[in-house]
Amino acid sequence: AKLLAAAAAEEGAETTPGGVVVKVLEEGEGLYPTAASTVEVHYEGKLADGTVFDSSYSRGETTKFPLNGVIAGWQEGLTLMKEGSTAMLTIPSEMGYGEQGAPQGRIPGGATLAFKIELIKIISSGSETRGLVA
């Protein structure tokens, strides 16, 4: 909860209806993906104590996936990012892996997650939009 509160207090941070805090670090020029889009990203995920539990950077290659196949926090956060953007997403456990945690025990139950995500490319659309209507 402290991690979420601190992230939400940062200048320029936006909190989604699901409680995901999105802070754009570098604004891209492209379109916004939708939940139906397939995207290419670089990312690093950390626990509240700073432990990195997953990183495409450390593997040296980007990751591609349909947004409707990932955790709800990514779906909600990435649809607020333009193609080419880099942002920090701080995700409450209920929008992440919940009380059960993640496979292989890398993410404990109830964990708030912090992801640095670089939205490199929208591979297939599912019809991009110009952002959410407030």
Side-chain angles (χ1 to χ4, degrees):
K2 286 183 192 168
L3 184 63
L4 276 171
E10 287 188 33
E11 189 176 332
E14 182 179 347
T15 303
T16 69
V20 176
V21 179
V22 180
K23 176 166 172 101
V24 175
L25 304 174
E26 191 175 319
E27 187 77 59
E29 300 290 321
L31 296 174
Y32 293 90
T34 68
S37 299
T38 296
V39 297
E40 179 179 0
V41 300
H42 245 325
Y43 69 92
E44 180 175 82
K46 292 182 180 181
L47 300 174
D49 67 3
T51 302
V52 175
F53 59 81
D54 195 7
S55 173
S56 66
Y57 295 106
S58 67
R59 290 190 296 274
E61 58 184 11
T62 59
T63 302
K64 301 174 176 105
F65 54 79
L67 274 183
N68 62 12
V70 294
I71 59 172
W74 271 51
Q75 291 176 34
E76 208 165 84
L78 275 159
T79 56
L80 296 175
M81 292 174 63
K82 289 180 184 173
E83 186 176 51
S85 294
T86 300
M88 287 299 302
L89 301 187
T90 307
I91 301 175
S93 68
E94 58 272 17
M95 295 292 282
Y97 294 94
E99 293 306 316
Q100 75 274 13
Q104 296 93 42
R106 289 180 311 191
I107 301 170
T112 297
L113 308 174
F115 285 95
K116 178 182 178 185
I117 302 175
E118 186 181 344
L119 178 52
I120 295 167
K121 186 177 181 185
I122 299 171
I123 297 167
S124 71
S125 64
S127 71
E128 285 81 20
T129 65
R130 284 279 179 217
L132 300 177
V133 177

